[in-house]
Amino acid sequence: MKKNYILLLTVLIIFSCSSSEENNSKSKSLNPPSWIQGTWAQKYGSNGSYTYQPTFRFTKNDFCVLSTNSSICILESSNNATDLKIDETTTDSEYKFSFSTKGVTTSYRFIKISNSKIEHDIYSNQDMPNMELFKQ
């Protein structure tokens, strides 16, 4: 009986360690859904003349914030951050994620409107409109 107990305990420890490592590796990866992958831009203009300013880029495993002369990507920038944690939720029409490093958490929420348009919910729980973004 004692041998069975020790064997059962050993098996439980082995499986709990391997699943804990698996969860840990998942918490350091980003997996944007295929419908959001690509470059998304804000639309600016007036009098019928519009320009598109690239704002975000989603790849298979990263998220980048774009500006006129540069880009900052989460995993690329946090390459050496041992405390990086990523939490994400994906549905057919919504992609939410937050990442934490050095005690700071940043959250994003995107809503799919169509295959070529999404909204960035910048001002959660406030009376401000979402940012419209168009696929480039």
Side-chain angles (χ1 to χ4, degrees):
M1 176 76 173
K2 195 174 192 179
K3 286 182 182 180
N4 289 340
Y5 179 73
I6 292 173
L7 181 61
L8 177 63
L9 187 59
T10 304
V11 169
L12 286 173
I13 290 171
I14 290 170
F15 282 110
S16 66
C17 289
S18 66
S19 81
S20 127
E21 289 170 15
E22 203 174 279
N23 288 341
N24 205 8
S25 69
K26 282 186 180 179
S27 70
K28 291 189 179 212
S29 66
L30 198 63
N31 303 293
S34 59
W35 60 261
I36 203 167
Q37 291 177 21
T39 300
W40 296 86
Q42 294 179 60
K43 183 177 174 181
Y44 293 101
S46 60
N47 301 328
S49 176
Y50 296 99
T51 59
Y52 291 88
Q53 175 62 45
T55 306
F56 300 115
R57 182 175 51 243
F58 294 88
T59 65
K60 188 176 181 182
N61 58 5
D62 210 349
F63 167 75
C64 305
V65 177
L66 309 174
S67 69
T68 305
N69 298 321
S70 66
S71 68
I72 299 173
C73 301
I74 292 175
L75 296 180
E76 201 175 282
S77 301
S78 306
N79 211 352
N80 297 323
T82 56
D83 66 338
L84 176 65
K85 299 252 188 285
I86 296 174
D87 182 32
E88 59 186 340
T89 304
T90 302
T91 68
D92 289 339
S93 61
E94 181 180 47
Y95 179 53
K96 294 190 304 187
F97 67 94
S98 61
F99 63 97
S100 304
T101 185
K102 299 177 184 167
V104 177
T105 300
T106 305
S107 299
Y108 289 90
R109 180 175 179 243
F110 296 92
I111 303 160
K112 180 181 180 181
I113 306 302
S114 70
N115 287 336
S116 60
K117 181 179 174 183
I118 61 174
E119 289 184 353
H120 176 208
D121 182 7
I122 303 173
Y123 307 104
S124 296
N125 302 319
Q126 294 182 12
D127 282 340
M128 300 290 288
N130 292 340
M131 177 193 300
E132 291 183 329
L133 299 163
F134 299 88
K135 195 162 198 173
Q136 300 301 289

